[in-house]
Amino acid sequence: MSDIKKVVLAYSGGLDTSVIIPWLKENYQCEVIAMCADVGQGDELAPVREKALKSGASKVYIEDLTQEFVESYVWPTLKAGAVYEGKYLLGTSFARPIIAKALVAIAEKEGADAIAHGATGKGNDQVRFELTVKALAPHLEIIAPWRLWDIRSREDAIDYAEKHNIPIPVTKKRPYSMDRNIWHLSHEGADLENPWNAPQDDVYMVTKTPEQAPDVPTYVEISFEKGIPVAVDGEKMPAVALLEKLNTLGAMNGIGIADIVENRLVGMKSRGVYENPGGAILYYAHRELEYLTLDRATMHFKEQVAIKYAELVYDGMWFAPLREALDAFVDETQQTVTGVVRLKLYKGNIISAGSKSPYSLYSEEFVTFGRDEVYNQKDAEGFINLFGLPLKVRALMQKEAKKI
């Protein structure tokens, strides 16, 4: 431990990282520099600098990463259509690599010996932080207090904070573990640990419940260029502003609540409740445009890629060669994913209300039930005969085999 003189801590101001600063100083006798990443979590950062200094940090960095987060992490994942286990839009998963990347940059700038994080030994985040460090700065030591100290629960951490006069944003009455950024807000722990318990209405801090949503629908049009959302209701917007706009519309209409018992990378199942209003809208709209513009073979193969892409992101493999290679495939598929999608938002539901694209593969002339001059229905007989030939040959073989 004496070899470590300076540590850069991924600091959020939450319960776990609040107690880590004094713990590091007590156990390593080292200088602790706090790094807080702004990935769009709102006004929660206002008291962070003062709090970190009062907790014993020698210096505090607050890095504004929101634009890079949306453009370089959220949009690629959206274009891939990556959803983990059918529900989770990966809000925490792809936030960790960009935070760890900033952590490494500051550690190198400050000449630090190690980085530290507040992820527990039961969770996925420890993997995501540490794989990023290994990929970008393998020489740095990694300190994970939850794998080292005597604190064994969030209640223990609260007691430690109170003993050291550290203000914390949770109490034993509301001990949820939450992670927030511009893409989502997650909730875990407490009564949610029992999958039979429905989430209480007061859990939600971003999105209205469907019951609280307006009794009239909201219509929204989203424009895409090569798979990237660029405008809402015809108004061009930069990435952050666009996502904030859709977050507002979605939250107002009870959109984007996901309750999932997911398979963690470390081997256990966990239950999480996610609020993803803007993200849910964007995934739905992007998918609608792909229905219109991608051919059958490409779309079906891309569905398989999306599953693998989601696993890589979830598993902390953002900087892995395979994810980067899959990006190349995804980008090629998105060359024609340009157009406008109209949606109806109503009490937690997203409902298709129209889509159009200059690259649409949909041809009313071919699919019409009315008279057409472009499709000879007699051609279908020969196609079916050839397509079904393996089935016919197999059936004939089985018939002959019964005679033997």
Side-chain angles (χ1 to χ4, degrees):
M1 288 188 181
S2 59
D3 293 337
I4 296 175
K5 304 300 182 183
K6 186 183 294 187
V7 178
V8 180
L9 168 67
Y11 183 77
S12 68
L15 172 61
D16 296 340
T17 57
S18 292
V19 301
I20 286 176
I21 293 177
W23 184 88
L24 286 171
K25 292 171 70 70
E26 287 178 3
N27 289 273
Y28 288 83
Q29 293 79 49
C30 63
E31 178 185 355
V32 179
I33 296 171
M35 191 286 290
C36 183
D38 182 355
V39 283
Q41 57 267 53
D43 59 3
E44 296 175 0
L45 293 180
V48 164
R49 186 184 304 276
E50 182 180 358
K51 182 178 178 182
L53 293 172
K54 286 184 177 180
S55 299
S58 64
K59 189 182 295 186
V60 181
Y61 285 86
I62 297 181
E63 301 293 286
D64 184 359
L65 307 175
T66 308
Q67 181 178 341
E68 181 186 358
F69 175 53
V70 177
E71 294 179 347
S72 300
Y73 293 76
V74 177
W75 285 176
T77 308
L78 169 67
K79 289 193 296 182
V83 181
Y84 186 69
E85 297 189 337
K87 283 188 176 182
Y88 176 40
L89 300 189
L90 299 164
T92 299
S93 304
F94 51 37
R96 295 304 179 246
I98 190 173
I99 294 171
K101 178 184 172 186
L103 200 66
V104 166
I106 291 170
E108 293 181 336
K109 175 182 176 180
E110 291 285 344
D113 309 297
I115 65 98
H117 62 76
T120 75
K122 288 186 176 182
N124 301 304
D125 281 345
Q126 58 182 334
V127 181
R128 297 163 183 157
F129 278 124
E130 295 181 32
L131 290 189
T132 300
V133 175
K134 290 179 185 299
L136 302 180
H139 61 282
L140 288 174
E141 294 289 331
I142 299 172
I143 303 173
W146 273 100
R147 302 201 298 252
L148 301 171
W149 60 17
D150 294 328
I151 295 174
R152 289 292 175 263
S153 68
R154 292 181 64 77
E155 289 74 19
D156 287 350
I158 291 171
D159 290 339
Y160 184 95
E162 291 174 348
K163 180 180 178 181
H164 289 77
N165 297 315
I166 301 170
I168 52 174
V170 296
T171 66
K172 292 180 181 178
K173 291 183 179 180
R174 187 182 173 84
Y176 294 113
S177 175
M178 297 180 291
D179 177 73
R180 186 171 187 170
N181 56 51
I182 191 174
W183 185 246
H184 88 158
L185 173 61
S186 66
H187 310 269
E188 293 181 323
D191 57 298
L192 297 178
E193 291 184 350
N194 184 344
W196 185 246
N197 291 334
Q200 301 298 311
D201 285 352
D202 64 357
V203 166
Y204 306 114
M205 300 173 66
V206 174
T207 307
K208 288 185 177 181
T209 65
E211 295 85 353
Q212 296 168 332
D215 293 328
V216 293
T218 297
Y219 286 86
V220 61
E221 292 185 2
I222 305 168
S223 302
F224 290 82
E225 292 180 3
K226 295 186 177 181
I228 296 175
V230 295
V232 175
D233 292 331
E235 180 185 354
K236 286 249 183 179
M237 294 182 176
V240 172
L242 184 146
L243 182 52
E244 289 174 338
K245 173 73 172 179
L246 293 178
N247 276 337
T248 299
L249 290 177
M252 178 179 68
N253 287 281
I255 303 296
I257 296 172
D259 187 343
I260 177 175
V261 176
E262 68 197 52
N263 288 294
R264 284 184 179 174
L265 175 62
V266 294
M268 68 187 75
K269 288 184 180 288
S270 66
R271 195 269 189 95
V273 175
Y274 301 98
E275 300 180 68
N276 237 129
I281 293 171
L282 284 170
Y283 264 81
Y284 192 104
H286 181 262
R287 181 71 166 171
E288 288 296 289
L289 199 55
E290 287 192 327
Y291 283 133
L292 204 61
T293 59
L294 296 188
D295 65 275
R296 181 175 183 261
T298 301
M299 187 169 186
H300 289 185
F301 188 75
K302 185 173 180 289
E303 289 177 326
Q304 299 175 48
V305 168
I307 294 172
K308 186 60 181 178
Y309 198 107
E311 288 180 350
L312 289 168
V313 176
Y314 188 86
D315 293 352
M317 299 291 285
W318 185 268
F319 293 102
L322 178 55
R323 191 206 62 82
E324 294 169 354
L326 292 181
D327 264 348
F329 166 76
V330 170
D331 285 344
E332 182 62 27
T333 70
Q334 301 299 289
Q335 295 304 303
T336 59
V337 185
T338 293
V340 182
V341 177
R342 185 171 60 235
L343 302 173
K344 179 167 73 171
L345 312 178
Y346 183 66
K347 290 191 174 295
N349 296 289
I350 306 174
I351 303 166
S352 304
S355 57
K356 60 182 180 180
S357 168
Y359 304 103
S360 173
L361 297 177
Y362 177 86
S363 171
E364 186 176 354
E365 189 177 14
F366 275 94
V367 303
T368 180
F369 283 100
R371 177 182 291 274
D372 71 83
E373 305 299 331
V374 298
Y375 189 90
N376 186 347
Q377 297 194 29
K378 292 181 179 179
D379 292 342
E381 182 179 357
F383 165 74
I384 294 170
N385 286 337
L386 293 178
F387 190 64
L389 184 58
L391 299 178
K392 182 177 180 179
V393 171
R394 180 171 181 266
L396 292 172
M397 175 275 292
Q398 290 174 330
K399 184 176 181 181
E400 290 298 318
K402 290 179 180 178
K403 297 178 182 179
I404 299 174

mmCIF file of all heavy atoms in Angstrom, residues 15-24 27 117-121 144-153 156-157 160:
data_model
loop_
_atom_site.group_PDB
_atom_site.id
_atom_site.type_symbol
_atom_site.label_atom_id
_atom_site.label_comp_id
_atom_site.label_asym_id
_atom_site.label_seq_id
_atom_site.Cartn_x
_atom_site.Cartn_y
_atom_site.Cartn_z
ATOM 1 N N LEU A 15 -23.416 7.828 -1.993
ATOM 2 C CA LEU A 15 -23.048 7.154 -0.743
ATOM 3 C C LEU A 15 -21.696 6.459 -0.833
ATOM 4 O O LEU A 15 -20.805 6.685 -0.011
ATOM 5 C CB LEU A 15 -24.135 6.136 -0.372
ATOM 6 C CG LEU A 15 -23.816 5.208 0.810
ATOM 7 C CD1 LEU A 15 -23.602 6.017 2.082
ATOM 8 C CD2 LEU A 15 -24.925 4.180 0.989
ATOM 9 N N ASP A 16 -21.516 5.619 -1.850
ATOM 10 C CA ASP A 16 -20.314 4.795 -1.912
ATOM 11 C C ASP A 16 -19.045 5.632 -2.036
ATOM 12 O O ASP A 16 -18.085 5.446 -1.278
ATOM 13 C CB ASP A 16 -20.409 3.819 -3.091
ATOM 14 C CG ASP A 16 -21.547 2.822 -2.915
ATOM 15 O OD1 ASP A 16 -21.988 2.631 -1.771
ATOM 16 O OD2 ASP A 16 -21.997 2.256 -3.918
ATOM 17 N N THR A 17 -19.028 6.557 -2.999
ATOM 18 C CA THR A 17 -17.802 7.330 -3.200
ATOM 19 C C THR A 17 -17.590 8.364 -2.104
ATOM 20 O O THR A 17 -16.462 8.801 -1.879
ATOM 21 C CB THR A 17 -17.799 8.013 -4.576
ATOM 22 O OG1 THR A 17 -18.958 8.851 -4.714
ATOM 23 C CG2 THR A 17 -17.807 6.976 -5.687
ATOM 24 N N SER A 18 -18.653 8.736 -1.414
ATOM 25 C CA SER A 18 -18.495 9.704 -0.322
ATOM 26 C C SER A 18 -17.657 9.137 0.815
ATOM 27 O O SER A 18 -16.890 9.861 1.446
ATOM 28 C CB SER A 18 -19.874 10.123 0.210
ATOM 29 O OG SER A 18 -20.591 10.872 -0.749
ATOM 30 N N VAL A 19 -17.824 7.859 1.080
ATOM 31 C CA VAL A 19 -17.068 7.257 2.182
ATOM 32 C C VAL A 19 -15.690 6.772 1.742
ATOM 33 O O VAL A 19 -14.831 6.480 2.573
ATOM 34 C CB VAL A 19 -17.855 6.097 2.844
ATOM 35 C CG1 VAL A 19 -19.178 6.596 3.389
ATOM 36 C CG2 VAL A 19 -18.078 4.958 1.865
ATOM 37 N N ILE A 20 -15.475 6.691 0.429
ATOM 38 C CA ILE A 20 -14.194 6.154 -0.057
ATOM 39 C C ILE A 20 -13.045 7.124 0.176
ATOM 40 O O ILE A 20 -11.919 6.699 0.483
ATOM 41 C CB ILE A 20 -14.298 5.776 -1.550
ATOM 42 C CG1 ILE A 20 -15.111 4.486 -1.686
ATOM 43 C CG2 ILE A 20 -12.925 5.592 -2.178
ATOM 44 C CD1 ILE A 20 -15.374 4.066 -3.116
ATOM 45 N N ILE A 21 -13.281 8.433 0.056
ATOM 46 C CA ILE A 21 -12.184 9.392 0.224
ATOM 47 C C ILE A 21 -11.525 9.245 1.598
ATOM 48 O O ILE A 21 -10.302 9.032 1.678
ATOM 49 C CB ILE A 21 -12.659 10.836 -0.013
ATOM 50 C CG1 ILE A 21 -13.030 11.019 -1.486
ATOM 51 C CG2 ILE A 21 -11.561 11.834 0.364
ATOM 52 C CD1 ILE A 21 -13.590 12.401 -1.815
ATOM 53 N N PRO A 22 -12.271 9.339 2.697
ATOM 54 C CA PRO A 22 -11.600 9.158 4.000
ATOM 55 C C PRO A 22 -11.034 7.755 4.181
ATOM 56 O O PRO A 22 -9.993 7.587 4.827
ATOM 57 C CB PRO A 22 -12.707 9.455 5.016
ATOM 58 C CG PRO A 22 -13.987 9.319 4.273
ATOM 59 C CD PRO A 22 -13.689 9.703 2.866
ATOM 60 N N TRP A 23 -11.687 6.760 3.599
ATOM 61 C CA TRP A 23 -11.180 5.389 3.728
ATOM 62 C C TRP A 23 -9.822 5.252 3.038
ATOM 63 O O TRP A 23 -8.903 4.618 3.570
ATOM 64 C CB TRP A 23 -12.183 4.403 3.152
ATOM 65 C CG TRP A 23 -11.775 2.967 3.326
ATOM 66 C CD1 TRP A 23 -12.039 2.158 4.386
ATOM 67 C CD2 TRP A 23 -11.000 2.178 2.412
ATOM 68 N NE1 TRP A 23 -11.489 0.912 4.202
ATOM 69 C CE2 TRP A 23 -10.842 0.901 2.996
ATOM 70 C CE3 TRP A 23 -10.431 2.427 1.165
ATOM 71 C CZ2 TRP A 23 -10.137 -0.130 2.364
ATOM 72 C CZ3 TRP A 23 -9.729 1.404 0.535
ATOM 73 C CH2 TRP A 23 -9.586 0.138 1.137
ATOM 74 N N LEU A 24 -9.691 5.818 1.827
ATOM 75 C CA LEU A 24 -8.409 5.756 1.126
ATOM 76 C C LEU A 24 -7.315 6.461 1.920
ATOM 77 O O LEU A 24 -6.185 5.952 2.021
ATOM 78 C CB LEU A 24 -8.541 6.405 -0.260
ATOM 79 C CG LEU A 24 -9.298 5.616 -1.338
ATOM 80 C CD1 LEU A 24 -9.518 6.492 -2.567
ATOM 81 C CD2 LEU A 24 -8.550 4.347 -1.714
ATOM 82 N N ASN A 27 -6.282 4.285 4.924
ATOM 83 C CA ASN A 27 -5.661 2.992 4.666
ATOM 84 C C ASN A 27 -4.448 3.039 3.751
ATOM 85 O O ASN A 27 -3.633 2.114 3.758
ATOM 86 C CB ASN A 27 -6.710 2.033 4.076
ATOM 87 C CG ASN A 27 -7.742 1.605 5.101
ATOM 88 O OD1 ASN A 27 -7.548 0.645 5.828
ATOM 89 N ND2 ASN A 27 -8.840 2.352 5.172
ATOM 90 N N HIS A 117 -12.475 3.259 -7.657
ATOM 91 C CA HIS A 117 -13.888 3.409 -8.006
ATOM 92 C C HIS A 117 -14.750 2.850 -6.877
ATOM 93 O O HIS A 117 -14.272 2.095 -6.024
ATOM 94 C CB HIS A 117 -14.211 2.705 -9.323
ATOM 95 C CG HIS A 117 -13.985 1.217 -9.304
ATOM 96 N ND1 HIS A 117 -14.849 0.343 -8.689
ATOM 97 C CD2 HIS A 117 -12.988 0.454 -9.828
ATOM 98 C CE1 HIS A 117 -14.413 -0.896 -8.838
ATOM 99 N NE2 HIS A 117 -13.266 -0.858 -9.519
ATOM 100 N N GLY A 118 -16.021 3.215 -6.902
ATOM 101 C CA GLY A 118 -16.933 2.809 -5.844
ATOM 102 C C GLY A 118 -17.858 1.674 -6.213
ATOM 103 O O GLY A 118 -18.855 1.441 -5.514
ATOM 104 N N ALA A 119 -17.557 0.963 -7.289
ATOM 105 C CA ALA A 119 -18.405 -0.156 -7.689
ATOM 106 C C ALA A 119 -18.228 -1.319 -6.716
ATOM 107 O O ALA A 119 -17.130 -1.582 -6.236
ATOM 108 C CB ALA A 119 -18.059 -0.601 -9.103
ATOM 109 N N THR A 120 -19.317 -2.016 -6.458
ATOM 110 C CA THR A 120 -19.255 -3.123 -5.512
ATOM 111 C C THR A 120 -18.705 -4.378 -6.164
ATOM 112 O O THR A 120 -18.654 -4.504 -7.392
ATOM 113 C CB THR A 120 -20.658 -3.448 -4.940
ATOM 114 O OG1 THR A 120 -21.419 -4.141 -5.942
ATOM 115 C CG2 THR A 120 -21.387 -2.184 -4.523
ATOM 116 N N GLY A 121 -18.333 -5.332 -5.328
ATOM 117 C CA GLY A 121 -17.812 -6.602 -5.816
ATOM 118 C C GLY A 121 -18.890 -7.525 -6.338
ATOM 119 O O GLY A 121 -18.585 -8.622 -6.822
ATOM 120 N N ALA A 144 -10.345 -1.063 -5.532
ATOM 121 C CA ALA A 144 -11.793 -1.249 -5.453
ATOM 122 C C ALA A 144 -12.153 -1.493 -3.988
ATOM 123 O O ALA A 144 -12.167 -2.643 -3.536
ATOM 124 C CB ALA A 144 -12.229 -2.415 -6.325
ATOM 125 N N PRO A 145 -12.433 -0.434 -3.220
ATOM 126 C CA PRO A 145 -12.663 -0.582 -1.780
ATOM 127 C C PRO A 145 -13.728 -1.606 -1.402
ATOM 128 O O PRO A 145 -13.574 -2.298 -0.387
ATOM 129 C CB PRO A 145 -13.079 0.834 -1.358
ATOM 130 C CG PRO A 145 -12.374 1.719 -2.330
ATOM 131 C CD PRO A 145 -12.431 0.977 -3.636
ATOM 132 N N TRP A 146 -14.781 -1.730 -2.194
ATOM 133 C CA TRP A 146 -15.828 -2.683 -1.830
ATOM 134 C C TRP A 146 -15.319 -4.129 -1.803
ATOM 135 O O TRP A 146 -15.947 -4.997 -1.192
ATOM 136 C CB TRP A 146 -17.006 -2.581 -2.800
ATOM 137 C CG TRP A 146 -18.012 -1.533 -2.393
ATOM 138 C CD1 TRP A 146 -18.134 -0.277 -2.891
ATOM 139 C CD2 TRP A 146 -19.016 -1.672 -1.384
ATOM 140 N NE1 TRP A 146 -19.162 0.385 -2.255
ATOM 141 C CE2 TRP A 146 -19.727 -0.444 -1.328
ATOM 142 C CE3 TRP A 146 -19.397 -2.699 -0.515
ATOM 143 C CZ2 TRP A 146 -20.792 -0.225 -0.446
ATOM 144 C CZ3 TRP A 146 -20.456 -2.481 0.363
ATOM 145 C CH2 TRP A 146 -21.137 -1.270 0.388
ATOM 146 N N ARG A 147 -14.188 -4.358 -2.455
ATOM 147 C CA ARG A 147 -13.611 -5.706 -2.423
ATOM 148 C C ARG A 147 -12.578 -5.846 -1.311
ATOM 149 O O ARG A 147 -12.007 -6.931 -1.134
ATOM 150 C CB ARG A 147 -12.960 -6.031 -3.776
ATOM 151 C CG ARG A 147 -13.922 -5.941 -4.966
ATOM 152 C CD ARG A 147 -13.434 -6.721 -6.175
ATOM 153 N NE ARG A 147 -12.173 -6.242 -6.700
ATOM 154 C CZ ARG A 147 -12.027 -5.568 -7.840
ATOM 155 N NH1 ARG A 147 -13.099 -5.221 -8.554
ATOM 156 N NH2 ARG A 147 -10.840 -5.196 -8.269
ATOM 157 N N LEU A 148 -12.342 -4.751 -0.569
ATOM 158 C CA LEU A 148 -11.266 -4.743 0.410
ATOM 159 C C LEU A 148 -11.711 -4.428 1.836
ATOM 160 O O LEU A 148 -11.172 -4.988 2.784
ATOM 161 C CB LEU A 148 -10.199 -3.712 -0.003
ATOM 162 C CG LEU A 148 -9.532 -3.917 -1.364
ATOM 163 C CD1 LEU A 148 -8.684 -2.702 -1.719
ATOM 164 C CD2 LEU A 148 -8.679 -5.180 -1.357
ATOM 165 N N TRP A 149 -12.675 -3.530 1.977
ATOM 166 C CA TRP A 149 -12.983 -3.033 3.317
ATOM 167 C C TRP A 149 -13.961 -3.924 4.078
ATOM 168 O O TRP A 149 -14.443 -4.929 3.575
ATOM 169 C CB TRP A 149 -13.463 -1.596 3.254
ATOM 170 C CG TRP A 149 -14.717 -1.322 2.447
ATOM 171 C CD1 TRP A 149 -15.668 -2.220 2.025
ATOM 172 C CD2 TRP A 149 -15.144 -0.053 1.964
ATOM 173 N NE1 TRP A 149 -16.647 -1.599 1.320
ATOM 174 C CE2 TRP A 149 -16.369 -0.264 1.264
ATOM 175 C CE3 TRP A 149 -14.642 1.248 2.050
ATOM 176 C CZ2 TRP A 149 -17.076 0.789 0.667
ATOM 177 C CZ3 TRP A 149 -15.348 2.277 1.449
ATOM 178 C CH2 TRP A 149 -16.544 2.048 0.775
ATOM 179 N N ASP A 150 -14.240 -3.512 5.321
ATOM 180 C CA ASP A 150 -15.130 -4.286 6.184
ATOM 181 C C ASP A 150 -16.593 -3.886 6.022
ATOM 182 O O ASP A 150 -17.472 -4.523 6.619
ATOM 183 C CB ASP A 150 -14.730 -4.106 7.657
ATOM 184 C CG ASP A 150 -13.360 -4.694 7.956
ATOM 185 O OD1 ASP A 150 -13.005 -5.697 7.302
ATOM 186 O OD2 ASP A 150 -12.651 -4.154 8.822
ATOM 187 N N ILE A 151 -16.860 -2.854 5.261
ATOM 188 C CA ILE A 151 -18.242 -2.449 5.010
ATOM 189 C C ILE A 151 -18.894 -3.519 4.144
ATOM 190 O O ILE A 151 -18.376 -3.893 3.104
ATOM 191 C CB ILE A 151 -18.283 -1.068 4.318
ATOM 192 C CG1 ILE A 151 -17.736 -0.002 5.267
ATOM 193 C CG2 ILE A 151 -19.702 -0.722 3.876
ATOM 194 C CD1 ILE A 151 -17.597 1.372 4.629
ATOM 195 N N ARG A 152 -20.052 -4.001 4.580
ATOM 196 C CA ARG A 152 -20.681 -5.106 3.877
ATOM 197 C C ARG A 152 -22.088 -4.785 3.360
ATOM 198 O O ARG A 152 -22.722 -5.640 2.740
ATOM 199 C CB ARG A 152 -20.754 -6.338 4.804
ATOM 200 C CG ARG A 152 -19.391 -6.974 5.051
ATOM 201 C CD ARG A 152 -18.868 -7.614 3.774
ATOM 202 N NE ARG A 152 -17.526 -8.152 3.901
ATOM 203 C CZ ARG A 152 -16.427 -7.522 3.532
ATOM 204 N NH1 ARG A 152 -16.511 -6.302 2.997
ATOM 205 N NH2 ARG A 152 -15.246 -8.064 3.672
ATOM 206 N N SER A 153 -22.578 -3.597 3.627
ATOM 207 C CA SER A 153 -23.916 -3.250 3.172
ATOM 208 C C SER A 153 -24.024 -1.743 3.036
ATOM 209 O O SER A 153 -23.164 -0.991 3.521
ATOM 210 C CB SER A 153 -24.974 -3.744 4.162
ATOM 211 O OG SER A 153 -24.878 -3.021 5.389
ATOM 212 N N ASP A 156 -24.182 -0.253 6.421
ATOM 213 C CA ASP A 156 -22.844 -0.064 7.014
ATOM 214 C C ASP A 156 -22.190 1.208 6.472
ATOM 215 O O ASP A 156 -21.541 1.951 7.218
ATOM 216 C CB ASP A 156 -21.941 -1.259 6.692
ATOM 217 C CG ASP A 156 -22.312 -2.506 7.469
ATOM 218 O OD1 ASP A 156 -23.138 -2.410 8.400
ATOM 219 O OD2 ASP A 156 -21.794 -3.583 7.130
ATOM 220 N N ALA A 157 -22.363 1.432 5.167
ATOM 221 C CA ALA A 157 -21.772 2.625 4.563
ATOM 222 C C ALA A 157 -22.396 3.896 5.121
ATOM 223 O O ALA A 157 -21.711 4.898 5.353
ATOM 224 C CB ALA A 157 -21.942 2.568 3.049
ATOM 225 N N TYR A 160 -20.876 4.494 8.457
ATOM 226 C CA TYR A 160 -19.509 4.999 8.316
ATOM 227 C C TYR A 160 -19.539 6.488 7.976
ATOM 228 O O TYR A 160 -18.761 7.287 8.516
ATOM 229 C CB TYR A 160 -18.784 4.214 7.216
ATOM 230 C CG TYR A 160 -17.325 4.583 7.034
ATOM 231 C CD1 TYR A 160 -16.321 3.852 7.677
ATOM 232 C CD2 TYR A 160 -16.943 5.640 6.229
ATOM 233 C CE1 TYR A 160 -14.978 4.176 7.508
ATOM 234 C CE2 TYR A 160 -15.612 5.982 6.061
ATOM 235 C CZ TYR A 160 -14.629 5.247 6.702
ATOM 236 O OH TYR A 160 -13.305 5.585 6.538
#
